[in-house]
Amino acid sequence: MSDSYGIDRREFVKAAVAIGGASALSACLDRGPEIDVPRGPEDPASAFPERQHAWNAALPTDDAGNNHHPRHRVLLPLSYGDGMPTDAERETVEAALAGLERAYERSAAGLLLTVSYSPYYFDRFDESLPESVDLPEPRALADFEDPDADDIDAIVHLASDHGEVVMGAEEALKGEVDELNGVSQPDASLTDVFTLGERRTGFIGDGLPAENQDVDGVPDDGPVPEDAPLYMGFESAFQGNQPGEDRVTIQSGPFAGGTTQQLSTLTLNLKQWYEQDSRDQRVSKMFCPHHASEGTVEGTGENLGTDPQMDDCGDPTETARSEGVVGHGQKMVDVREDDAPIILRRDFDSTDQDRAGVHFLSLQRTIEDFVTTREAMNGDDVASNSAVGQRTNNGILQYIDTVRRGNFLIPPRSLRALPPANPADDAAENAEVAHA
Amino acid sequence: MHKSRRAFLAGVGAAGAAGLAGCSGFELQSGNREPPLVENRPDGVYVPTHTEGMGMASMQSDGGYSCALTYSFPHRFWTITGSDTTMVEVGNSDALHLMPIVWHSETGIVPSDVNPTVDISRDGESVVDGLSPWPMLAQRMGFHFGDNVELPEQGEYDVTVSIGEGGNRRTGSLADAGAAEFEFTLDYQLSELNDLPFEDIPPARQGTLGAVQPMQMDMVPLMQAPTEDELPGTVRGTAESGDAQFVVTTIDDAGAFGDDADQQHLAVSAHTPYNRYPIPLMSLSATVTRDGETVFDGYLNEWQDGDLGIHYGALLDTVKEGDELTITVDSPPQVSRHEGYETAFLNMSDATLTL
Ligand code: HEM
């Protein structure tokens, strides 16, 4: 038996996050030692950055020098329904969000959050989104996928190293608790304005996938390495293969300081991955054949430090021609700008529906940047010119199935509560009215 | 299974705990009937230890394609990356070797440029979803897709097979075929599975060079490469590499292959010995020399064509008699192998032919 801080408790907390609700939260709080999370500032609006997605500065750096990812996640889908948002509703949403921010410090140990809005939300306005925002409706991005469109209006992303924090934050947003971390909560709740959709949950970080591998899509004998941060067994987000936040931030227009969020739900089939592929095959398909033959990747790849050394992989088509396989990461190196990818990956694993999955969440300046990256990952040209198949030996395409795709705008913080489609137009109109 | 989760659910009395209870219960006795592998397997196509029959759920058509959902005993096979093969042994819970055979209805071609996806559910509950079976080569069936799958118990399953758009190297009506989806009911009964033929091959024949006969199933076309006589164009001869046969022909009107400048399509129909199954998923390239000068040097790309079948081809200016063709295998076929093929088509040296 491990002690209450050990695996049992970690598994317990993760299971509680997956199940959610006030009873799960209280079961969690009853069971464990009180967690000690610093509170946030009295006036978050003046203390917090305008970029909702500016998380990096609030995240510790791990031993290897990479950004740490908050271990527990909840995504709360929200439907607004018909009609136009009112200023009173905006105040309600803002008050509910600010309540959380006063309760928990803005950090991985505390709470990080974003609110984002879909094209379906913005459709209701007469004006369209400004040209500085690229936010099409989601569509299939590969010949072999047929995803559902994530057609909810908005989604809140809650992230913390403490499961209790994301659960507490969720309960507060639903108006279920009066006090959070000793801080009294406003009467306002998101449910005053939105209808909640089916919550989505997840986790990322060493140990969590192994502890939560008793789900469909993972073989029964528990093949996920104990120290892996993700189900497929490797470190993914290295300092050297992530862009900075500036590269993904919208630079101009009323939503400057915002970003776009691509959110897809992937299901994993890891029987083949762990039982029918060898370690070398896995390294070839995830990184590249060069890394497999040179033994570049040890274990989960922690030995790579901050740099997955993709420059050594070679040209994807040439590799596919001569090796019969091309790596997942290798295919996307060509998309890099200034030696960094153009999407910032903040994805995490999930056991939703008792199914091994991924909530692939990435930030980029335009959705087009995501599409470009995803097309490179499809490797159509590589497949057409080599022994590599549409999904066979074509990176990790064989093992993942995209079941849902959604596109969202994460507006700057000052516009995070029910933004109009074109705030500048509105402001201009208001100004005219004021002068009239 | 579900230990902490179940304990947790019990703790908070949440609904849904009952759904987790049925994880154990049914014990599969499918067992693994496969005899041990032949010792000292030759480096080439060889006669395996046994043959298996095949069952079929049904056949469906959609979007220019037909699909037969077929199955056999779970059995060992080899996955391949580059020239490294990995033997996949039958798992304790494997119920079937499931093979969704998708072919283009008009031409009978089993396309190699799409990967089918399989979803299996029982009483509306998903059992397997988003599975992408391996492309495979088997002595009784040739090229198909398949994988060993786990089913929790005997009974009826709903199976959906879907394929997306194909690649950009298709001709004629093959190029018009779009995405397609096929729905099946699969009744998994051990007694029926065990009624399928399973024949051991006499030890003296096992491991000898050769192959077992193709199996013909009702309604399902057996996809063999065209014979030399059936091939269109001017057939130039056959070269060999790593046990694979490369039959070379040249097509004068190469319009279907993207030509607009009076070039010829040099086509290489690559097939297995004995059973003449097409061998897809190779990287091939070719050089043509004339009087010591290189007149062509480039990729032979994989095409799907009704008359030539799956083949590898390139456009080049008119071929002359006496030209020297060298075919280089840059990657051996990246198809998983059933027994008897796993040691073949791996070390593939250059194949040469005088045209
Ligand atoms: C199950 C899903 C996925 C897993 C487990 C995964 C895993 C990884 C891993 C381990 C790496 C680092 C190693 C390497 O660079 O080869 C990586 C890199 C990367 N992945 Fe993924 N990935 C997944 C899905 C995706 C998706 C859907 C995209 C979006 C198109 C994506 C985009 C990228 C990018 C852009 C890189 C960096 C490429 C570079 O170095 O330039 N990944 N992924």
Side-chain angles (χ1 to χ4, degrees):
Chain A
M1 280 289 293
S2 31
D3 63 59
S4 57
Y5 284 94
I7 285 188
D8 275 3
R9 173 157 169 80
R10 293 212 321 241
E11 275 187 66
F12 186 83
V13 169
K14 189 266 138 197
V17 173
I19 289 162
S23 57
L25 175 59
S26 70
C28 228
L29 296 175
D30 289 351
R31 183 157 150 159
E34 190 97 349
I35 53 156
D36 190 13
V37 177
R39 293 177 188 158
E42 270 303 308
D43 180 18
S46 64
F48 285 2
E50 181 64 345
R51 294 180 185 179
Q52 292 194 68
H53 61 287
W55 288 11
N56 287 358
L59 295 172
T61 303
D62 65 19
D63 293 344
N66 298 312
N67 262 321
H68 168 84
H69 300 275
R71 290 167 67 85
H72 295 283
R73 310 295 180 98
V74 168
L75 294 167
L76 281 182
L78 306 168
S79 298
Y80 180 78
D82 297 333
M84 292 292 179
T86 63
D87 283 346
E89 287 173 328
R90 291 190 170 108
E91 277 164 32
T92 302
V93 170
E94 181 51 39
L97 295 169
L100 308 182
E101 293 173 328
R102 279 195 294 276
Y104 298 122
E105 174 186 88
R106 189 174 184 277
S107 70
L111 177 70
L112 290 165
L113 78 100
T114 62
V115 194
S116 58
Y117 296 86
S118 72
Y120 306 96
Y121 165 80
F122 288 111
D123 265 355
R124 76 196 60 239
F125 298 99
D126 291 337
E127 314 86 73
S128 33
L129 283 162
E131 268 175 23
S132 48
V133 173
D134 170 42
L135 191 73
E137 288 182 11
R139 60 180 172 93
L141 295 179
D143 286 338
F144 47 84
E145 71 178 31
D146 186 19
D148 292 336
D150 203 348
D151 58 1
I152 49 162
D153 290 316
I155 200 155
V156 174
H157 180 186
L158 302 169
S160 171
D161 280 344
H162 296 293
E164 295 87 339
V165 170
V166 290
M167 293 166 75
E170 177 184 351
E171 291 312 300
L173 289 178
K174 294 194 291 194
E176 300 284 339
V177 294
D178 301 330
E179 204 185 84
L180 197 60
N181 204 21
V183 176
S184 78
Q185 292 298 296
D187 285 338
S189 70
L190 290 189
T191 39
D192 296 343
V193 176
F194 295 106
T195 315
L196 280 183
E198 193 177 355
R199 57 199 292 283
R200 308 173 196 171
T201 68
F203 52 89
I204 178 171
D206 298 2
L208 285 169
E211 285 158 28
N212 294 287
Q213 55 182 309
D214 54 351
V215 284
D216 290 346
V218 183
D220 287 342
D221 60 347
V224 179
E226 250 165 52
D227 54 344
L230 290 165
Y231 276 130
M232 292 188 81
F234 296 106
E235 303 284 335
S236 161
F238 298 89
Q239 188 66 31
N241 71 7
Q242 291 271 60
E245 283 165 352
D246 287 348
R247 176 60 184 84
V248 304
T249 300
I250 296 170
Q251 297 297 301
S252 60
F255 290 105
T259 184
T260 72
Q261 170 178 282
Q262 198 284 155
L263 178 64
S264 40
T265 304
L266 317 177
T267 56
L268 299 174
N269 274 297
L270 301 185
K271 175 178 155 93
Q272 294 172 328
W273 183 246
Y274 282 115
E275 295 187 342
Q276 305 180 343
D277 282 301
S278 65
R279 159 100 193 160
D280 275 1
Q281 286 173 315
R282 289 194 288 274
V283 173
S284 294
K285 293 176 186 184
M286 186 62 85
F287 293 83
C288 60
H290 165 276
H291 282 24
S293 60
E294 297 300 314
T296 310
V297 185
E298 293 165 21
T300 63
E302 218 157 336
N303 67 303
L304 295 168
T306 57
D307 179 10
Q309 302 171 26
M310 300 314 283
D311 288 347
D312 296 340
C313 290
D315 175 72
T317 303
E318 277 169 30
T319 300
R321 295 266 334 158
S322 60
E323 309 298 323
V325 56
V326 63
H328 164 67
Q330 179 180 16
K331 280 182 286 182
M332 287 177 283
V333 173
D334 278 354
V335 179
R336 288 181 172 208
E337 282 178 23
D338 299 328
D339 204 30
I342 55 178
I343 68 169
L344 178 59
R345 287 166 293 135
R346 289 195 174 147
D347 54 299
F348 48 92
D349 281 348
S350 173
T351 56
D352 289 352
Q353 276 79 48
D354 282 333
R355 183 77 187 73
V358 179
H359 291 301
F360 191 88
L361 189 157
S362 70
L363 308 179
Q364 48 283 312
R365 191 171 291 163
T366 61
I367 291 297
E368 189 56 30
D369 285 344
F370 180 81
V371 173
T372 305
T373 305
R374 175 61 216 214
E375 280 173 355
M377 175 171 159
N378 290 342
D380 286 346
D381 277 353
V382 175
S384 161
N385 288 307
S386 75
V388 162
Q390 187 185 38
R391 295 171 82 180
T392 308
N393 289 0
N394 194 341
I396 53 174
L397 295 177
Q398 179 178 348
Y399 314 91
I400 62 184
D401 187 30
T402 309
V403 297
R404 178 171 55 205
R405 283 194 184 283
N407 294 334
F408 301 87
L409 171 68
I410 302 184
R413 192 176 184 289
S414 54
L415 286 168
R416 68 178 172 171
L418 298 166
N422 201 333
D425 278 8
D426 273 16
E429 252 170 53
N430 289 342
E432 275 165 33
V433 175
H435 280 120
Chain B
M1 278 182 78
H2 297 292
K3 194 163 30 92
S4 63
R5 200 176 149 80
R6 206 186 287 145
F8 177 78
L9 287 163
V12 299
L20 296 171
C23 293
S24 54
F26 182 75
E27 292 282 321
L28 270 180
Q29 341 92 3
S30 72
N32 183 0
R33 300 167 64 177
E34 285 184 307
L37 269 182
V38 178
E39 279 175 42
N40 304 322
R41 291 165 292 161
D43 286 336
V45 177
Y46 73 91
V47 177
T49 54
H50 67 283
T51 61
E52 294 172 8
M54 237 165 68
M56 183 165 115
S58 64
M59 200 270 272
Q60 306 290 337
S61 294
D62 184 40
Y65 292 101
S66 301
C67 177
L69 185 68
T70 67
Y71 56 87
S72 183
F73 304 94
H75 51 233
R76 59 188 164 229
F77 62 90
W78 287 259
T79 62
I80 181 167
T81 299
S83 4
D84 296 333
T85 56
T86 301
M87 180 161 117
V88 175
E89 298 193 64
V90 175
N92 285 336
S93 318
D94 286 339
L96 297 169
H97 186 76
L98 193 67
M99 298 165 284
I101 306 178
V102 180
W103 68 93
H104 180 241
S105 307
E106 190 185 315
T107 60
I109 303 284
V110 176
S112 58
D113 61 350
V114 286
N115 283 72
T117 303
V118 175
D119 296 291
I120 306 177
S121 64
R122 174 151 168 81
D123 300 330
E125 293 263 321
S126 169
V127 176
V128 169
D129 65 74
L131 173 70
S132 173
W134 301 95
M136 296 192 154
L137 209 51
Q139 289 192 1
R140 305 205 70 200
M141 296 179 64
F143 170 61
H144 66 282
F145 289 83
D147 201 354
N148 293 340
V149 298
E150 299 178 9
L151 299 175
E153 57 187 340
Q154 301 183 76
E156 282 197 353
Y157 291 84
D158 295 314
V159 180
T160 305
V161 176
S162 39
I163 60 166
E165 295 281 305
N168 58 1
R169 294 188 204 281
R170 289 180 170 213
T171 61
S173 57
L174 271 153
D176 302 332
E181 197 170 282
F182 315 92
E183 297 195 1
F184 302 92
T185 305
L186 173 72
D187 191 8
Y188 168 51
Q189 300 295 344
L190 271 177
S191 57
E192 278 178 34
L193 184 66
N194 289 329
D195 279 348
L196 291 179
F198 186 103
E199 283 163 34
D200 287 335
I201 291 172
R205 272 196 74 209
Q206 293 184 15
T208 57
L209 293 177
V212 296
Q213 292 286 317
M215 172 173 47
Q216 187 63 62
M217 287 192 92
D218 285 353
M219 300 193 282
V220 183
L222 183 68
M223 193 184 45
Q224 289 181 303
T227 59
E228 284 200 15
D229 288 350
E230 287 162 358
L231 273 176
T234 312
V235 177
R236 307 284 180 158
T238 300
E240 268 185 38
S241 170
D243 236 9
Q245 318 251 298
F246 294 152
V247 190
V248 179
T249 184
T250 48
I251 312 285
D252 285 340
D253 179 1
F257 302 95
D259 170 49
D260 48 22
D262 294 331
Q263 288 179 304
Q264 287 184 335
H265 182 64
L266 173 76
V268 175
S269 166
H271 66 72
T272 65
Y274 316 112
N275 293 348
R276 229 178 56 245
Y277 296 132
I279 308 179
L281 297 170
M282 284 191 273
S283 303
L284 294 190
S285 52
T287 57
V288 177
T289 54
R290 184 174 305 152
D291 307 326
E293 284 205 22
T294 304
V295 295
F296 176 80
D297 183 0
Y299 296 166
L300 291 170
N301 283 309
E302 190 169 342
W303 283 87
Q304 325 279 320
D305 175 79
D307 297 326
L308 287 156
I310 295 177
H311 70 279
Y312 300 82
L315 292 177
L316 71 181
D317 297 335
T318 312
V319 162
K320 295 221 171 90
E321 232 177 80
D323 285 355
E324 288 290 334
L325 169 71
T326 304
I327 301 170
T328 303
V329 181
D330 300 314
S331 303
Q334 301 298 297
V335 278
S336 297
R337 320 296 182 80
H338 283 217
E339 198 177 313
Y341 278 149
E342 79 279 12
T343 53
F345 324 128
L346 289 177
N347 298 312
M348 303 179 75
S349 46
D350 286 359
T352 53
L353 190 73
T354 305
L355 300 178

